[in-house]
Amino acid sequence: MLARALRVPALRKRLLLTVLAVVLFRLGQNLPLPGLRADALEAPGVDAGGGGGGGGEAAGGDPRLYGLVELLTGDGLGELSVLTFGILPALAARLVADLAGPLIPRVRLLAASGEDGAAVLARRTRWLAVLLAAVLGVVVTTGVYGDGCVPLTGLCAPGESGLVQERADGPLGALTLVACMTAGAAVVLWLSGLITARGIGEGLSVLLVAQLAAVVPGQVADAARETGGARAALVVLAVVLALVVMTVLAVLVGQAERRIPLQRAKRMIGRHPLGPAPTYVPVRGGQGGFGMMIPASLLLLVPAPAGPWLLPGYVLLVLGHAWLRAGTEPDAVEVAQRLKRSGMFVPGIPMGRQTAQYLAYVRSRIGLAAALCMTVVALLPVAALMVLDGPAERFALSATTLLIVASAAVGTALPAARQLESLGAQHAYGPILR
């Protein structure tokens, strides 16, 4: 498909623009903020019991949490780069907008207003992302200028040297840092919008994949290095197999559908009978995807003393959400009424109430099967990391990390492939349709 797409000039331009946007994004995540000491930024954080004064306390904590922050920011926060927060503000703003949509009447009204309402919501979501970036910038700047530590990364300046250069030490330097981090979030929003409008795939998903490609291999290598010996290869193999199996299962469950055949009574048009065209009612159960898995997997980062109920709670949350999500498909009674009005019926099933009962029965079975499959997908990263035994608790790798990687892979590859196929078909059949 990619080789065929490269032969189409319009697709080549879209692919080139996407690659350039990703390169600029990664360049911004490696370009340091002004006024900070580069040597201090590269220094590793000290242990909780080691020197460094206030830095020791900030450096202590769960490495898995630090790994998750590194993943969501593309290590921009650990490097204190211009694009410090990566796509984190945009993702957080979108999550807030999705959660607030059903609760705020004004937002519901805009969502039901078509393209104009969607444009207003998108603009407000972008402003919310910039505001969140400004708040996060103030938090990070306070930590950098206060105790010389970068919040949520475990990194601190060595000794008492501090992270800030002398010429940047002051209110103006702090304001400059906040402004740079806020402007960096705006640049990320611009790049994601550019990819969505003129590139290939959905912008935020493409940039998320770029972050993951830069961070995850290093986390896997660190886990293998800490394990050491022959088990290092087992770590890499377990992670790779888990990611492949999770991605394949998620695609299969998400794309699978049960097709219930329909028939229509023959009609006479003049002297010729008009036979029924073959049609069906599609029933899907795996549309929830990774929606609840990633938030639910944060339970697994809770400290060990609260641990016995975490894994059962994680499984119940994922299973319940997947099953309930499958039940949000169009109402069986409404579908049965539409079939009755159009003169179509399921072979062997009377129209009306019995058709609705049959559709609900099939949907419940498909939904339960899909929910069980997605629960298996959610448990795969936990099982993969269990082979690491004790040292796994010290790794930046976590079940949340692997779920985010698989979710990004599925959410980016499928829409991009469909878009490439659609644009290729337009190029092939466009001259015929003119």
Side-chain angles (χ1 to χ4, degrees), residues 7 45 61 144 153 162 172 180 238 303 312 321 332-333 362 411 417:
R7 292 196 291 266
V144 168
T153 63
L172 184 59
C180 287
H321 175 267
V333 176
V362 172

Side-chain angles (χ1 to χ4, degrees), residues 381-400:
V382 179
L385 295 176
M386 283 177 63
V387 303
L388 307 179
D389 296 329
E393 296 181 357
R394 301 195 303 271
F395 296 154
L397 279 173
S398 65
T400 309

Side-chain angles (χ1 to χ4, degrees), residues 334 336-344 351:
E334 180 183 349
Q337 292 298 326
R338 287 206 307 265
L339 294 178
K340 186 175 181 179
R341 287 194 297 268
S342 59
M344 292 187 291
M351 292 183 177

Side-chain angles (χ1 to χ4, degrees), residues 243-253 410:
L243 287 176
V244 171
V245 175
M246 288 164 59
T247 303
V248 171
L249 279 178
V251 171
L252 289 177
V253 175
V410 173

Side-chain angles (χ1 to χ4, degrees), residues 237-433:
L237 182 62
V239 171
V240 172
L241 282 179
L243 287 176
V244 171
V245 175
M246 288 164 59
T247 303
V248 171
L249 279 178
V251 171
L252 289 177
V253 175
Q255 299 298 310
E257 64 180 17
R258 163 74 184 277
R259 297 180 175 183
I260 301 177
L262 298 176
Q263 286 186 0
R264 187 196 304 267
K266 290 185 177 180
R267 294 178 295 172
M268 296 298 296
I269 305 297
R271 296 182 178 181
H272 303 283
L274 180 64
T279 185
Y280 58 87
V281 173
V283 178
R284 293 183 175 183
Q287 300 307 297
F290 293 86
M292 179 54 66
M293 293 184 198
I294 295 174
S297 64
L298 296 177
L299 286 174
L300 303 179
L301 297 179
V302 174
W309 57 271
L310 294 182
L311 189 58
Y314 172 57
V315 171
L316 289 177
L317 276 176
V318 173
L319 179 63
H321 175 267
W323 198 2
L324 291 175
R325 181 67 173 80
T328 60
E329 298 290 329
D331 184 55
V333 176
E334 180 183 349
V335 174
Q337 292 298 326
R338 287 206 307 265
L339 294 178
K340 186 175 181 179
R341 287 194 297 268
S342 59
M344 292 187 291
F345 60 92
V346 180
I349 306 294
M351 292 183 177
R353 181 173 59 85
Q354 291 180 320
T355 298
Q357 292 176 348
Y358 176 73
L359 292 176
Y361 169 69
V362 172
R363 182 171 296 159
S364 64
R365 293 172 59 196
I366 297 297
L368 180 59
L372 291 174
C373 289
M374 297 310 289
T375 305
V376 171
V377 172
L379 287 174
L380 275 174
V382 179
L385 295 176
M386 283 177 63
V387 303
L388 307 179
D389 296 329
E393 296 181 357
R394 301 195 303 271
F395 296 154
L397 279 173
S398 65
T400 309
T401 299
L402 300 185
L403 286 171
I404 290 175
V405 174
S407 174
V410 173
T412 303
L414 290 181
R418 285 194 289 264
Q419 186 178 6
L420 285 174
E421 185 177 357
S422 174
L423 292 173
Q426 289 179 13
H427 179 267
Y429 298 104
I432 302 175
L433 299 176

Side-chain angles (χ1 to χ4, degrees), residues 29 76 135 200 233 236 270 357 427:
Q29 288 193 309
V135 173
I200 297 295
V236 178
Q357 292 176 348
H427 179 267

